Amino acid sequence: MKFFVDTADVAAIRELNDLGMVDGVTTNPSLILKSGRDIAEVTREICEIVSGPVSAEVVASDAEGMIAEGRHLAKIADNIAVKVPLTWDGLRACKVLSGEGRMVNVTLCFSPAQAILAAKAGASFISPFIGRLDDINLDGMELIAQIREIYDNYDWTTEILAASIRSVNHITDAARIGADVITAPPAVIKAMASHVLTDKGLDQFNADWAKTGQKIV
Ligand code: G3P
């Protein structure tokens, strides 16, 4: 399973990348807003840190506008994946941009039917949003399972990029189902290391060690 980081926070990306935890990055207009930075500038900086795919999202609503924006964003670096929304125009843009050899991430996917269309349009990645389905009392993880089953039926190579991840359980469940990639906020990736019994065990070891009066170095 590949790990993408869902952020435009360069310091957080650098920290995880130094640990070998970053296979790619995803951004979106909300994350660019949160960073407070210029999209081209921050995306270029991220691409200098991370060698894997870095998703940069278009904002036009018509296919021609998305294609123009996608071509422009793709000039930032060779590892840009142009992110387009799962609308009919987004699918048209996906077909054109993927036909030009660019990586395309089709985002805002909420149904298996949408995921089928993205694969047919040549998407490199399909981004089903787990958390936002859970938010409205639907089952985000079930969508990942449905897309996995369908893509495997036909050996489609579009990678399932599980997005809108809010918890450690989302990551482990997506891994069990066989999502190709997860993209998660840095805090959720870091939370994977935490366990109450690890903390408790460490406290006990430290207390016992202090009683030995020894030093290792
Ligand atoms: O990359 C987009 C997606 O991960 C957004 O997540 O938490 O805003 O639903 P969220």
Side-chain angles (χ1 to χ4, degrees), residues 147-210:
I147 300 172
R148 180 74 283 158
E149 180 187 355
I150 292 166
Y151 281 13
D152 286 351
N153 282 345
Y154 302 102
D155 292 328
W156 286 343
T157 55
T158 299
E159 294 187 58
I160 301 172
L161 197 174
S164 186
I165 280 181
R166 309 274 176 75
S167 68
V168 170
N169 284 348
H170 276 162
I171 296 177
T172 49
D173 289 347
R176 292 185 69 187
I177 290 167
D180 301 287
V181 192
I182 58 92
T183 189
V188 177
I189 293 175
K190 290 178 89 170
M192 293 173 78
S194 298
H195 198 287
V196 65
L197 292 179
T198 303
D199 296 341
K200 191 177 170 195
L202 200 52
D203 286 346
Q204 181 71 57
F205 288 156
N206 286 338
D208 290 344
W209 183 249

Side-chain angles (χ1 to χ4, degrees), residues 5-214:
V5 195
D6 200 26
T7 187
D9 178 339
V10 172
I13 291 168
R14 209 183 288 280
E15 182 191 357
L16 289 167
N17 191 57
D18 286 348
L19 279 173
M21 299 287 180
V22 180
D23 300 304
V25 171
T26 51
T27 65
N28 61 39
S30 304
L31 293 170
I32 296 296
L33 173 68
K34 197 172 167 192
S35 77
R37 303 210 28 207
D38 172 77
I39 182 171
E41 182 194 284
V42 73
T43 306
R44 187 171 298 109
E45 197 174 333
I46 293 168
C47 289
E48 282 165 8
I49 299 167
V50 175
S51 56
V54 174
S55 288
E57 189 159 342
V58 301
V59 293
S61 52
D62 63 300
E64 287 66 32
M66 290 184 206
I67 293 164
E69 289 178 356
R71 287 176 180 152
H72 189 75
L73 290 167
K75 284 186 197 148
I76 292 174
D78 290 342
N79 54 332
I80 289 288
V82 179
K83 204 171 175 188
V84 301
L86 214 157
T87 59
W88 200 250
D89 281 274
L91 292 168
R92 287 176 57 212
C94 175
K95 181 71 182 163
V96 170
L97 292 167
S98 62
E100 293 172 354
R102 302 176 208 280
M103 288 186 285
V104 180
N105 175 0
V106 180
T107 189
L108 289 166
C109 171
F110 294 97
S111 77
Q114 290 181 315
I116 290 171
L117 291 178
K120 297 295 284 180
S124 313
F125 302 100
I126 180 68
S127 290
F129 276 31
I130 299 169
R132 293 192 194 185
L133 282 167
D134 291 354
D135 286 346
I136 57 165
N137 297 316
L138 294 174
D139 188 345
M141 208 53 67
E142 177 59 20
L143 175 59
I144 303 294
Q146 289 170 332
I147 300 172
R148 180 74 283 158
E149 180 187 355
I150 292 166
Y151 281 13
D152 286 351
N153 282 345
Y154 302 102
D155 292 328
W156 286 343
T157 55
T158 299
E159 294 187 58
I160 301 172
L161 197 174
S164 186
I165 280 181
R166 309 274 176 75
S167 68
V168 170
N169 284 348
H170 276 162
I171 296 177
T172 49
D173 289 347
R176 292 185 69 187
I177 290 167
D180 301 287
V181 192
I182 58 92
T183 189
V188 177
I189 293 175
K190 290 178 89 170
M192 293 173 78
S194 298
H195 198 287
V196 65
L197 292 179
T198 303
D199 296 341
K200 191 177 170 195
L202 200 52
D203 286 346
Q204 181 71 57
F205 288 156
N206 286 338
D208 290 344
W209 183 249
K211 288 177 201 161
T212 71
Q214 299 179 43

